[in-house]
Amino acid sequence: MSRKLFGDIIRRQLLPQTWRQMHNKSNSNPPITLTNADYEMLLSDEQRQRCMDNLRNLPAYQRPKALTHHKREQTLAAVLIALCVERDTNAVSLLYTRRSRHLRAHSLQMSFPGGKRDESDADFIDCALRETEEEIGLPRQRVEIWGETKQILLPRTSTIVPVVGVVRDFHISQLKLNHDEVEEAMSIPLQSLLLPTATRHTQFKSGYSGPVFVVDQHRIWGITGYLTYVFLRCLLPNHLKNEALKTNIKFVRPYKVTPPKVTHHHHHHEEAKLDK
């Protein structure tokens, strides 16, 4: 979901100082290793309630003044955040798709299954399950629904309602992809998302930055990166969070460009520096 939502990306990592410090600190700490007992705890009724309460009480997104409203924000959509219990290991993964190369908008980008709500959808849960079945062939009866979160209003995109559920005895081969909509589907282990090396940050030319997760060749950023970051913060207890998830980092953080500095030599040139 959504490369154009926050402007053109600068093709390099420009980490704000607080993120640099946090990233260096996380690399100095031993990585978190999730155990079978941890997975059982994360899927328990108590943790389910805690996670959903956290998601439903998220503070409203603080819209930057520079980002004007767009008509796309008036539409409604739902995505499925599926906790998949892997058949072979009982480890827990998150289910992602990569959008089809044939799509006109945001092709080949990482996303959660989901899409716009239709008039025929009874609610946002119905929407998320319908879209998931249409995109990757996962039957709705396979999903144990935890519930839906509050509406998340982000700039330049549909109002999104994440729906959380569990898929037990999961194997990626069970899916039947609709290649008109989805290029591939993958389940990314929670363990991999918690590695210190997986946590990144992207700076946008529009002056804002957001969380990114990089696992192998998969780069999860934009809205999907934000939803992943928020969900993991709500799901995991503090002792299972890496340093990045323990730090309450805003989704967008402006950087400042200093006024042009003119040097008086034989010729003039301007320098614009980024505050870090």
Side-chain angles (χ1 to χ4, degrees):
M1 298 175 75
S2 182
R3 177 168 303 214
K4 294 183 179 179
L5 301 178
F6 306 101
D8 297 327
I9 184 174
I10 296 177
R11 299 289 183 182
R12 56 194 173 117
Q13 298 295 330
L14 298 175
L15 298 178
Q17 188 64 28
T18 53
W19 265 75
R20 262 203 197 120
Q21 294 168 347
M22 177 261 319
H23 190 70
N24 291 338
K25 183 178 179 181
S26 66
N27 282 332
S28 66
N29 291 335
I32 293 169
T33 301
L34 297 176
T35 65
N36 286 336
D38 292 328
Y39 294 130
E40 290 180 10
M41 179 273 295
L42 291 176
L43 299 180
S44 67
D45 290 342
E46 181 181 359
Q47 193 64 19
R48 164 184 173 170
Q49 189 62 52
R50 184 178 294 115
C51 175
M52 296 309 299
D53 287 345
N54 290 339
L55 287 168
R56 289 166 180 155
N57 288 292
L58 287 172
Y61 166 74
Q62 297 298 312
R63 186 188 191 91
K65 295 180 180 179
L67 292 176
T68 58
H69 288 275
H70 192 281
K71 63 181 181 180
R72 191 182 296 119
E73 297 168 18
Q74 299 174 9
T75 61
L76 300 174
V79 297
L80 177 66
I81 301 179
L83 292 156
C84 298
V85 182
E86 300 287 345
R87 173 187 295 172
D88 298 329
T89 63
N90 284 327
V92 176
S93 303
L94 293 185
L95 182 60
Y96 293 90
T97 67
R98 188 184 300 279
R99 291 170 59 85
S100 171
R101 67 181 65 241
H102 305 298
L103 296 175
R104 294 180 60 185
H106 320 309
S107 61
L108 297 178
Q109 292 186 30
M110 296 286 288
S111 178
F112 287 114
K116 291 182 181 179
R117 181 172 174 175
D118 287 349
E119 292 182 1
S120 60
D121 293 326
D123 50 29
F124 287 105
I125 293 175
D126 192 35
C127 173
L129 294 177
R130 175 186 56 78
E131 285 281 349
T132 298
E133 192 160 7
E134 290 177 1
E135 290 179 358
I136 60 177
L138 180 66
R140 61 175 59 211
Q141 61 267 25
R142 290 289 315 278
V143 185
E144 300 173 16
I145 295 296
W146 277 13
E148 64 184 58
T149 75
K150 64 191 295 185
Q151 294 184 10
I152 296 179
L153 285 71
L154 297 173
R156 311 291 176 84
T157 189
S158 302
T159 296
I160 301 170
V161 175
V163 173
V164 182
V166 176
V167 182
R168 300 185 186 275
D169 192 33
F170 177 81
H171 194 276
I172 199 72
S173 64
Q174 299 166 349
L175 304 181
K176 298 179 180 179
L177 307 188
N178 176 354
H179 288 287
D180 290 333
E181 298 190 44
V182 172
E183 192 78 12
E184 61 178 324
M186 68 290 298
S187 56
I188 298 183
L190 290 184
Q191 179 71 71
S192 298
L193 293 168
L194 293 177
L195 291 174
T197 54
T199 306
R200 308 288 180 86
H201 213 78
T202 294
Q203 186 84 45
F204 294 89
K205 189 181 295 184
S206 58
Y208 300 95
S209 53
V212 177
F213 296 85
V214 178
V215 177
D216 298 328
Q217 75 275 24
H218 303 302
R219 188 169 186 268
I220 305 164
W221 68 292
I223 290 177
T224 307
Y226 169 66
L227 293 178
T228 299
Y229 168 79
V230 167
F231 177 70
L232 291 178
R233 276 178 56 85
C234 292
L235 172 71
L236 297 170
N238 280 336
H239 72 280
L240 292 182
K241 293 176 183 175
N242 61 18
E243 290 300 323
L245 294 175
K246 288 180 181 178
T247 306
N248 187 18
I249 302 163
K250 294 180 180 179
F251 172 43
V252 290
R253 177 187 177 93
Y255 65 77
K256 298 178 182 179
V257 179
T258 60
K261 180 180 179 182
V262 178
T263 57
H264 300 281
H265 298 296
H266 296 294
H267 62 279
H268 293 76
H269 67 277
E270 296 180 346
E271 296 178 349
K273 295 183 178 179
L274 296 178
D275 274 350
K276 297 180 181 179

